[in-house]
């Protein structure tokens, strides 16, 4: 038997577990191009003692620990506190899901937080999504989280000074009161955490909005200088675009309409997103479009 890891895929998996501590066994599929073969690869790594199982999760085995230490890979000692296990597993799941994504880099919270500063380690964010070069400080609200926890997330964002873009992943959108998530930041994107929205996240900045506007308005509106809309004709058209629920943008539009009762707003979004935004802005003019047709999945971003 060959007792060394079998290729770059297995090495990447071992390095990931060394850093994230835990990996749900089924999430190991994200590290292998041949999805139906990954289980055999995991069995082999467990047999070789590079990995070991704790229930349905994978952690480093004794040979895996020796291996990552000998090559000076990032290694975090296994946290055995059951209280923190759901959080660690969720962070690991995010890291694994987007591991091979070309448009997203996920930085876990334990790579950001200064362990010497109590106020930082007590914060609720789970990490940072860098999506096409733009950082989103990311939070997660699960069904098990209490109203008190939700309030602590709101407080956490209120005191944020380093990031102007926030992503809040939730198990249920009805738990979010849009008016509570207005902080004066650039964006606060809120999305139910499911595979459909995770795939959408990959293309957050790949939508050709210029083409959308050109097709619908025939070049009669222009990029806006206002904060409450994205495009305008500087007369009576105020156009806002949505790919995700953006609570900051919603609250800016609501404030504009309150102060300008003779004005209206055009909102361009998908049909499913319309149902959510319309709860907050019932009197807007909605233009529902299949935005998938306007996504350039090969688009590249350069600094």
């Amino acid at each position: 038997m060959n007792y060394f890891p079998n290729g770059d895929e297995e090495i990447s998996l071992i390095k990931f577990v060394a850093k994230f501590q835990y990996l749900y066994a089924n999430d190991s599929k994200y590290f292998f191009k041949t999805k139906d073969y990954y289980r055999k690869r995991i069995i082999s790594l467990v047999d070789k003692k590079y990995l070991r199982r704790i229930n349905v999760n994978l952690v480093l085995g004794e040979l895996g620990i020796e291996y990552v230490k000998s090559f000076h890979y990032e290694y975090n000692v296994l946290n055995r506190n059951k209280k923190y296990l759901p959080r660690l597993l969720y962070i690991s799941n995010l890291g694994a899901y987007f591991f091979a994504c070309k448009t997203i880099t996920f930085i876990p919270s334990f790579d950001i937080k200064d362990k010497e500063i109590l106020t930082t380690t007590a914060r609720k964010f789970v990490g940072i999504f860098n999506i096409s070069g733009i950082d989103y400080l990311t939070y997660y609200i699960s069904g098990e989280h209490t109203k008190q926890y939700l309030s602590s997330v709101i407080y956490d964002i209120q005191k944020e000074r380093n990031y102007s873009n926030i992503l809040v992943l939730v198990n249920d959108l009805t738990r979010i009161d849009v008016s509570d998530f207005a902080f004066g930041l650039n964006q606060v994107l809120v999305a139910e955490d499911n595979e459909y929205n995770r795939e959408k996240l990959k293309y957050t900045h790949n939508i050709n909005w210029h083409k959308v506007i050109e097709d619908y308005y025939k070049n009669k509106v222009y990029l806006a200088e206002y904060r409450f809309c994205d495009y305008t004709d500087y007369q009576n058209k105020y156009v806002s675009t949505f790919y995700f629920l953006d609570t900051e943008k919603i609250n800016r539009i609501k404030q504009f309409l309150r102060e300008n009762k003779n004005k209206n707003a055009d909102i361009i979004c998908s049909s499913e997103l319309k149902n959510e935004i319309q709860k907050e802005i019932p009197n807007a003019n909605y233009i529902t479009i299949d935005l998938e047709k306007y996504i350039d999945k090969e688009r590249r971003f350069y600094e």
Side-chain angles (χ1 to χ4, degrees):
M1 178 184 287
N2 180 1
Y3 277 89
F4 290 98
N6 184 19
D8 291 340
E9 291 175 331
E10 291 190 1
I11 292 171
S12 293
L13 174 62
I14 292 168
K15 290 168 67 175
F16 182 92
V17 176
K19 177 178 179 177
F20 284 80
Q21 304 176 50
Y22 293 89
L23 178 68
Y24 179 51
N26 282 352
D27 286 346
S28 58
K29 64 178 177 285
Y30 299 121
F31 296 85
F32 299 99
K33 293 178 182 177
T34 309
K35 303 300 184 188
D36 57 349
Y37 185 57
Y38 77 93
R39 289 185 177 86
K40 292 182 179 179
R41 306 280 287 273
I42 297 304
I43 291 171
S44 174
L45 288 170
V46 171
D47 288 343
K48 293 175 184 178
K49 298 186 178 180
Y50 278 95
L51 299 175
R52 65 185 178 91
R53 295 180 184 273
I54 298 180
N55 298 321
V56 295
N57 302 311
L58 298 170
V59 301
L60 283 187
E62 57 183 273
L63 196 57
I65 294 172
E66 290 181 21
Y67 179 80
V68 297
K69 285 183 174 180
S70 63
F71 285 96
H72 304 289
Y73 296 142
E74 185 175 353
Y75 168 60
N76 289 313
V77 177
L78 193 66
N79 186 331
R80 298 179 182 276
N81 188 333
K82 292 183 179 180
K83 177 182 176 182
Y84 294 105
L85 183 59
R87 177 182 172 86
L88 289 172
L89 285 172
Y90 181 75
I91 291 173
S92 171
N93 173 259
L94 286 179
Y97 188 92
F98 293 101
F99 177 77
C101 180
K102 295 179 180 179
T103 58
I104 290 180
T105 302
F106 177 67
I107 306 166
S109 58
F110 52 76
D111 269 5
I112 307 163
K113 295 179 178 181
D114 185 342
K115 294 181 174 57
E116 300 302 316
I117 303 176
L118 181 61
T119 55
T120 304
T121 56
R123 294 190 60 185
K124 305 302 181 185
F125 62 86
V126 294
I128 291 173
F129 273 112
N130 182 286
I131 307 176
S132 301
I134 298 175
D135 286 339
Y136 289 83
L137 192 66
T138 302
Y139 295 81
Y140 176 57
I141 300 167
S142 74
E144 287 70 42
H145 286 140
T146 63
K147 289 184 179 180
Q148 183 179 0
Y149 184 89
L150 182 58
S151 296
S152 69
V153 168
I154 293 169
Y155 175 71
D156 211 58
I157 299 173
Q158 283 175 337
K159 66 181 182 182
E160 177 54 44
R161 297 294 179 268
N162 296 321
Y163 297 92
S164 59
N165 299 297
I166 306 293
L167 172 63
V168 182
L169 298 171
V170 297
N171 74 310
D172 181 0
L173 273 181
T174 62
R175 300 196 68 190
I176 301 298
D177 185 333
V178 168
S179 62
D180 287 339
F181 281 79
F183 309 100
L185 299 173
N186 183 43
Q187 287 182 308
V188 176
L189 304 184
V190 180
E192 286 192 353
D193 187 18
N194 51 46
E195 187 166 2
Y196 173 73
N197 281 329
R198 287 190 181 193
E199 288 302 304
K200 278 184 62 176
L201 276 175
K202 295 178 181 180
Y203 307 111
T204 303
H205 299 292
N206 289 55
I207 301 170
N208 190 339
W209 287 114
H210 175 76
K211 179 64 174 170
V212 174
I213 295 298
E214 183 182 69
D215 285 354
Y216 190 83
Y217 290 97
K218 311 302 180 186
N219 293 320
K220 293 181 180 178
V221 295
Y222 315 94
L223 278 172
E225 298 176 0
Y226 309 128
R227 289 200 73 207
F228 63 87
C229 67
D230 299 297
Y231 297 88
T232 181
D233 64 357
Y234 292 100
Q235 294 178 25
N236 55 14
K237 287 287 184 188
Y238 304 96
V239 184
S240 296
T241 62
F242 286 83
Y243 187 52
F244 281 105
L245 196 70
D246 183 344
T247 57
E248 291 286 9
K249 186 182 284 189
I250 287 172
N251 279 289
R252 287 195 290 265
I253 295 169
K254 287 168 71 174
Q255 183 177 353
F256 167 74
L257 293 177
R258 278 196 300 267
E259 295 174 355
N260 299 272
K261 297 188 183 300
N262 61 328
K263 303 290 185 182
N264 204 343
D266 285 4
I267 292 177
I268 299 177
C269 61
S270 64
S271 56
E272 62 265 26
L273 201 54
K274 173 189 173 182
N275 296 329
E276 297 300 329
I277 302 174
Q278 202 166 32
K279 295 174 186 176
E280 301 297 326
I281 314 174
N283 298 323
N285 175 39
Y286 287 88
I287 303 153
T288 57
I289 290 177
D290 180 7
L291 293 173
E292 301 300 313
K293 297 191 301 185
Y294 292 91
I295 293 176
D296 180 1
K297 294 188 176 182
E298 300 301 319
R299 191 175 180 186
R300 296 289 181 266
F301 292 82
Y302 303 93
E303 291 186 357

